[in-house]
Amino acid sequence: MKIVYTDNNATTKVADEVIEEMLPYFGELYGNPSSMHTFGDQVQKKIKQARQRVADFINADPEEIIFTSCGTESDNSAIFSAIRAFPEKKHIITSNVEHPAINNLYKELQKTEGYKVTFVPVDKKGLLDLDLLYNSISEDTAIISLMWANNETGVLFPIEKIAKQANEKHILFHTDAVQAAGKVPIDVKKIGVDMLSLSGHKIHAPKGVGVLYVKKGLKFSPFLVGGHQEDGRRGGTENSVSIIGLGKACELAKENIPIINSKVRELRDYLQAQLLDKIISSSVNGDLEQRLPNTLSIGFDAVEGESILLMLDREGICASSGSACTSGSLEPSHVLMAMEVPFKSAHGSIRFSLSHYNTKEEMDHIVTAMVPVIQKLRAMSPFWKDGKVI
Amino acid sequence: MWEYTDAVKDHFLNPRNVGELEGANAIGEAGSLSCGDALKLFLKVNENERIIDATFMTFGCASAVASSSALTEIIKGMTLDEASKITNGDISDFLGGLPKAKMHCSVMGQNALKKAIADFRGVQIMEKPGQIVCECFDVTDLEIIDAVKKNGLETTEDVTDYLKAGGGCGNCLERIEEVLEAVKAKG
Ligand SMILES: Cc1ncc(COP(=O)(O)O)c(C=O)c1O
């Protein structure tokens, strides 16, 4: 069966060019980049090139790039460094729709270290309450950290605006740009952010490699304490193969941003229009404008997400659902709940996230498959009668 | 992804006895839209209290649909007395087992059946005995004790998997822990 992959916010296909770039370093070029011989040094040189490519991707300097093992490590490192830099400050500001990669760290810090965390709420469109955000800044605030783009809805936060406020008040500002990368242009010099997280596997590099950008001059405490790698800021022998792949992926991502914002956006808009048109009682979650060009979170009233996904799976369609349903806890995702999406559509919310590998034929295939799936599930649903929710 | 048995997949993809039942004389409902799953069970019961037909309408995940479908298959042809002895374990067994985190789907089946039987007999289901522990899903301490004993539950997560208790706002998790400890202490 042909696979239609529209789950790119979960992970992406490793680009062929990236695989090609990595292959020699899996095989004959296995040296340790720190070694005092030419054999290892050729790997060091290639890592240097990768660091430059990553830096170019976000308009940073190469010394500002720290390679990590994933987006989660980058996020954790940023927060830990901030609270070590200001041990007397016990307040953190974030939003109530963050990724678990960082959200669960806040909960831990609240519970075990006595931190006060302000989770700034979003409105029904998933947009941040900026007044509340600015008003919650205090003498005690160690860091403000906000995701740039939401993984579930694609909603974008005005990072540049917030960074400016944070800078004026001399408060550290970190952004989790894991989902924004490759979809919106990133210029760290222009936005003036202190730290920024990236993850390889969301931009067509392998899983298990990430980046933390740390602005020059900022005091940084390592999260992984060990050898002198990454200038003493992250111990552990470099994952040279993946770092080299990530370098190539950043180069490609930079070239592809215009395509994501034209061709991919058009595909997403087409899919959105078709589904809204062909399936009644369906609605888009999140602001239609301030949104990633590749993401569509759409709720179907009176049906449940897992059922939809399993039926789509039989058609070779990969997507994900907004309702966790991973345990007896049947709360829909915390993101949709924070946006006060009504239960009737929150439980039946599906996320399609596209890449430049998708085609219009695939979008048509999804629409053709979705119509009978929703019909079948609604015919079974006690909350659906005579063409509407009861 | 969930590890579902072939029987669960079959009953999900080809559910038996779907839809409203014309001439139903007993109806039982369990769950709700906000809970994320709900079941409406329709029975046609003859003068000898035998279930001559059963259908369902379900909103929920694959195992909720499969549990509902299995339930209707199990009870068709039974007398109400026989049916009233059906437990969530019977539903799960019929399907070759459910993932632990989905056991509450079979409990929903059992609850809807209980209500349908009470509906037929015209008895009000009495106010549940015991004290409400979980406000979100309306679960009492006695229900938790019962589920812990019958299914050998060990942790609060187990209780949530079976009864959903604690799976909403989470405020009652400590209380569930206390109830669990009390049962364990008694042995
Ligand atoms: C917004 C966001 N932050 C962080 C992460 C975690 O990245 P990783 O999987 O590389 O740890 C993800 C991806 O799952 C994400 O979507």
Side-chain angles (χ1 to χ4, degrees), chain A residues 199-257:
Chain A
S199 174
H201 72 105
K202 312 284 185 181
I203 54 169
H204 305 285
K207 293 152 191 70
V209 63
V211 166
L212 181 64
Y213 156 84
V214 178
K215 194 178 177 168
K216 217 180 289 177
L218 194 76
K219 195 169 156 240
F220 184 79
S221 305
F223 183 59
L224 271 193
V225 181
H228 59 276
Q229 294 90 351
E230 301 298 299
D231 228 0
R233 294 174 298 178
R234 201 271 184 185
T237 298
E238 297 87 340
N239 179 357
S240 42
V241 181
S242 296
I243 289 171
I244 289 162
L246 177 56
K248 185 66 188 173
C250 283
E251 194 182 73
L252 296 171
K254 197 169 179 176
E255 290 168 14
N256 280 332
I257 285 183

Side-chain angles (χ1 to χ4, degrees), chain A residues 302-304 306-308 310-311 313-314 324-332 343-344 347-348 376-385 389-390, chain B residues 1-2 4 12-15 18 20 32-38 40 56-63 65 101-102 104 137 160-161 164 167-168:
Chain A
V303 291
E304 197 274 334
E306 185 202 283
S307 291
I308 302 173
L310 291 179
M311 287 188 176
D313 184 57
R314 289 171 50 82
C325 202
T326 46
S327 71
S329 161
L330 290 183
E331 281 273 283
F343 282 117
K344 70 174 161 72
H347 285 297
K376 183 172 178 188
L377 291 172
R378 280 181 176 164
M380 236 188 266
S381 172
F383 302 119
W384 187 261
K385 197 170 182 180
V389 183
I390 51 168
Chain B
M1 195 144 164
W2 294 108
Y4 285 135
F12 167 60
L13 294 168
N14 311 297
V18 179
E20 286 186 27
S32 75
L33 192 56
S34 60
C35 291
D37 50 19
K40 192 168 181 181
F56 76 92
M57 297 193 78
T58 287
F59 158 80
C61 59
S63 51
V65 173
K102 297 286 190 178
H104 59 88
F137 297 120
T160 306
D161 287 342
K164 286 201 202 171

Side-chain angles (χ1 to χ4, degrees), chain A residues 31-42 44 228:
Chain A
N32 188 322
S34 300
S35 295
M36 279 297 157
H37 41 66
T38 313
F39 184 63
D41 196 49
Q42 49 190 335
Q44 180 68 276
H228 59 276

Side-chain angles (χ1 to χ4, degrees), chain A residues 277-288:
Chain A
D277 179 51
K278 299 233 155 68
I279 303 174
I280 55 168
S281 291
S282 54
S283 49
V284 177
N285 301 313
D287 190 79
L288 296 180

Side-chain angles (χ1 to χ4, degrees), chain A residues 70-72 75 99 101 147 149 151 176 178-179 199 201-202:
Chain A
C70 58
T72 305
D75 284 347
H99 191 274
M147 66 198 325
N151 47 299
D176 174 339
V178 167
Q179 292 293 346
S199 174
H201 72 105
K202 312 284 185 181

